[in-house]
Amino acid sequence: MRRITKFILLAALAVPVLAAEPADLAAEVRAAVQAFNDAYANNAVEAYFDHYADGASLFFYGERHDVSAYHDEWAEMITAGGGVVKNELSDVRIQVLPGDAVAIASYFVDYALRTPDGEVAESKGFESEVWQKIDGEWKVVSLHYTVVADNS
């Protein structure tokens, strides 16, 4: 009887430890999402693109984009004097999928971009990303960005 009681007690103590694990993983993903967006907001091209997995699937402004072509276009725009002026996230949600190696992040973005000729365009969007833990690092394997109509 004592063995059964000990087993039940140990099992009960293990439950909070197991329950904390998804929250820890969600915190890891949230930190990766923040670092990804900080690099973007700071126009740090290489730091931003380091968050993408090779061959990631990207969809924004109505079409698919190749990561390497996007990298080249973005680097060229930054070099020419353009860049992000504002990239503010809200309503960030993180969902870690079973298996603990894939997560979905979604959030709204208040965004402003300065073109190389100095014009600034503002928009609000909704972004969803699929993150995968690859070789111990969270990487974006899929990103979808959609402009949201201003209903104010």
Side-chain angles (χ1 to χ4, degrees):
M1 184 66 172
R2 290 181 97 185
R3 284 186 180 177
I4 293 172
T5 304
K6 280 184 183 179
F7 176 77
I8 291 171
L9 180 60
L10 288 174
L13 291 174
V15 170
V17 171
L18 294 175
E21 210 170 296
D24 292 345
L25 290 170
E28 282 181 27
V29 175
R30 186 176 297 275
V33 168
Q34 190 62 56
F36 175 64
N37 278 279
D38 287 348
Y40 185 69
N42 292 320
N43 299 301
V45 176
E46 298 311 317
Y48 170 63
F49 280 92
D50 281 348
H51 287 88
Y52 286 106
D54 293 337
S57 172
L58 309 179
F59 186 89
F60 48 88
Y61 298 110
E63 60 187 62
R64 287 187 180 276
H65 295 268
D66 174 77
V67 175
S68 61
Y70 174 40
H71 173 276
D72 294 345
E73 291 168 11
W74 193 248
E76 183 179 312
M77 196 206 36
I78 299 298
T79 301
V84 176
V85 175
K86 176 173 74 172
N87 190 61
E88 297 174 358
L89 310 185
S90 62
D91 195 22
V92 178
R93 304 212 180 168
I94 307 294
Q95 180 182 10
V96 178
L97 301 181
D100 300 340
V102 176
I104 299 167
S106 63
Y107 46 88
F108 290 95
V109 181
D110 284 314
Y111 175 70
L113 174 73
R114 182 186 63 251
T115 64
D117 62 2
E119 290 182 41
V120 175
E122 292 192 45
S123 64
K124 182 169 185 155
F126 182 79
E127 189 161 321
S128 58
E129 302 151 355
V130 178
W131 289 76
Q132 182 178 2
K133 199 166 206 177
I134 301 171
D135 296 329
E137 291 185 82
W138 288 101
K139 298 284 188 176
V140 175
V141 296
S142 181
L143 179 145
H144 184 187
Y145 176 86
T146 301
V147 175
V148 177
D150 185 8
N151 294 328
S152 52

